[in-house]
Amino acid sequence: MLDSIDILKRNTLSVTESRKAILDLFIDTDGALAHADIEKNISNDFDRVTVYRTLQTFFENGIIHQIPTTDNTVLYALCKDKCEAGHHHDEHVHFICNLCDKTICLDEVTVPQVKLPKGFKPLQKAMVVKGICAECKN
Amino acid sequence: MLDSIDILKRNTLSVTESRKAILDLFIDTDGALAHADIEKNISNDFDRVTVYRTLQTFFENGIIHQIPTTDNTVLYALCKDKCEAGHHHDEHVHFICNLCDKTICLDEVTVPQVKLPKGFKPLQKAMVVKGICAECKN
DNA sequence: GTAACTGCAAAATATTTGCATCCTT
DNA sequence: AAGGATGCAAATATTTTGCAGTTAC
């Protein structure tokens, strides 16, 4: 089981209330979170600025990764063990449900290779699929 | 050759200075534009609000499509002929160059199929590849 | 002439920065 | 004790909304 304190220590980050709370929220959430989601769902009230800085720190340390969106937000989701700072292994597909609006990391589904035109050198790739998730299908 | 007036008429939108200018900018740009890019590069000065509303209108009419990003912006790019309002055929790969920072529509590269876990129903998909573009490669 | 588009003003929202204080190690 | 993290205040930036005047058809 994932433990927020473990994760922080493993990344040599000091263990503070806000970091624990935000990390716990990620652990408890089966999906991605935007800044606004965190503000809305966090138990204790932390300063908005703290949330920004915490997300930034987590991202820089490879604890969370970003998911591209088309709505002026950035979504973040927990990285799996293989992620490291600066070298994310988050090339899995992300699924956004049109009904429940959740964004789910399909960790087991890797982004397929794609043949690019001559001269293009791919370094990272991201894939986002929208549709109906397994929960809402029922 | 693409003509802004044609495009507007084809979509039964009235032909105004701002719409022509913004559309011309898209036509002249080999790549995607964010709201900020438009404000920066447009010749005449249009109100910021007009740019927002124009992008919205173009998007709703299927003239431009959105490209997901991880930086609190939305990128827009011209749709090819096959795009129609409400039913975009923009499932091509987008390439973001780490050097020149341009976002390029690889119209000829379609987003590959991907096998999702049981129960997930895909409706749309997007793929963004980062790396070095053919221009910067040299 | 009429409907639609634009610009302006202003409100609402989101993000960043500096600094003093507090907390973790 | 020292460095780093937080909260507050404030500056900056972004997006939305309402309304009056203007323009396209």
Side-chain angles (χ1 to χ4, degrees):
Chain A
M1 206 37 238
L2 286 171
D3 177 53
S4 54
I5 299 179
D6 274 2
I7 296 176
L8 291 170
K9 286 188 176 164
R10 202 182 310 151
N11 287 278
T12 52
L13 293 174
S14 40
V15 177
T16 66
E17 285 310 308
S18 54
R19 287 177 178 173
K20 267 191 294 182
I22 294 174
L23 207 36
D24 282 336
L25 187 57
F26 272 109
I27 293 171
D28 294 344
T29 307
D30 58 334
L33 296 170
H35 176 97
D37 300 322
I38 295 171
E39 282 198 17
K40 221 170 296 162
N41 296 313
I42 205 113
S43 46
N44 302 35
D45 250 15
F46 298 102
D47 196 90
R48 180 193 276 290
V49 176
T50 301
V51 177
Y52 279 110
R53 292 195 269 225
T54 304
L55 287 173
Q56 183 67 25
T57 302
F58 287 177
F59 179 67
E60 286 168 354
N61 283 270
I63 297 173
I64 55 180
H65 60 269
Q66 297 179 328
I67 303 165
T69 66
T70 53
D71 67 345
N72 291 313
T73 59
V74 183
L75 285 176
Y76 296 93
L78 265 191
C79 291
K80 300 300 164 192
D81 298 329
K82 279 181 294 184
C83 279
E84 288 155 39
H87 186 58
H88 285 267
H89 291 258
D90 59 330
E91 293 203 345
H92 55 266
V93 173
H94 293 97
F95 191 92
I96 302 178
C97 180
N98 290 340
L99 296 181
C100 67
D101 219 51
K102 273 191 197 151
T103 296
I104 300 159
C105 290
L106 301 176
D107 296 294
E108 65 280 16
V109 184
T110 43
V111 176
Q113 288 296 333
V114 69
K115 197 173 180 319
L116 298 179
K118 202 159 172 292
F120 286 87
K121 185 180 178 189
L123 294 173
Q124 305 140 35
K125 49 195 188 319
M127 185 163 174
V128 179
V129 180
K130 291 194 186 182
I132 315 293
C133 78
E135 284 292 312
C136 291
K137 186 75 172 295
N138 305 321
Chain B
M1 207 35 237
L2 285 173
D3 177 52
S4 54
I5 300 180
D6 273 3
I7 297 176
L8 291 170
K9 286 188 176 166
R10 201 183 309 150
N11 286 278
T12 53
L13 292 173
S14 39
V15 177
T16 67
E17 285 310 308
S18 55
R19 287 178 179 172
K20 268 190 293 180
I22 294 175
L23 206 37
D24 281 336
L25 188 57
F26 272 109
I27 293 171
D28 294 343
T29 307
D30 58 334
L33 296 170
H35 175 97
D37 300 321
I38 294 172
E39 280 199 19
K40 222 171 295 161
N41 295 313
I42 205 113
S43 45
N44 301 36
D45 250 15
F46 297 102
D47 196 273
R48 183 192 275 289
V49 177
T50 300
V51 177
Y52 279 109
R53 292 196 269 225
T54 303
L55 288 172
Q56 183 67 24
T57 303
F58 287 176
F59 179 66
E60 286 168 353
N61 283 271
I63 296 173
I64 56 179
H65 61 268
Q66 297 179 328
I67 302 165
T69 65
T70 52
D71 67 345
N72 290 313
T73 60
V74 184
L75 284 177
Y76 296 93
L78 266 192
C79 291
K80 298 302 164 191
D81 297 330
K82 279 181 293 182
C83 280
E84 287 155 41
H87 186 58
H88 285 265
H89 291 259
D90 59 329
E91 293 203 344
H92 55 266
V93 172
H94 292 99
F95 191 92
I96 301 178
C97 180
N98 289 340
L99 296 181
C100 68
D101 219 50
K102 273 192 199 152
T103 297
I104 300 160
C105 291
L106 301 175
D107 296 294
E108 65 280 14
V109 184
T110 43
V111 177
Q113 288 296 334
V114 68
K115 200 176 177 322
L116 299 179
K118 206 162 170 294
F120 285 87
K121 185 182 176 191
L123 294 173
Q124 305 139 34
K125 46 197 189 323
M127 185 163 173
V128 179
V129 180
K130 290 193 187 185
I132 315 293
C133 78
E135 284 293 313
C136 292
K137 186 76 172 296
N138 305 320

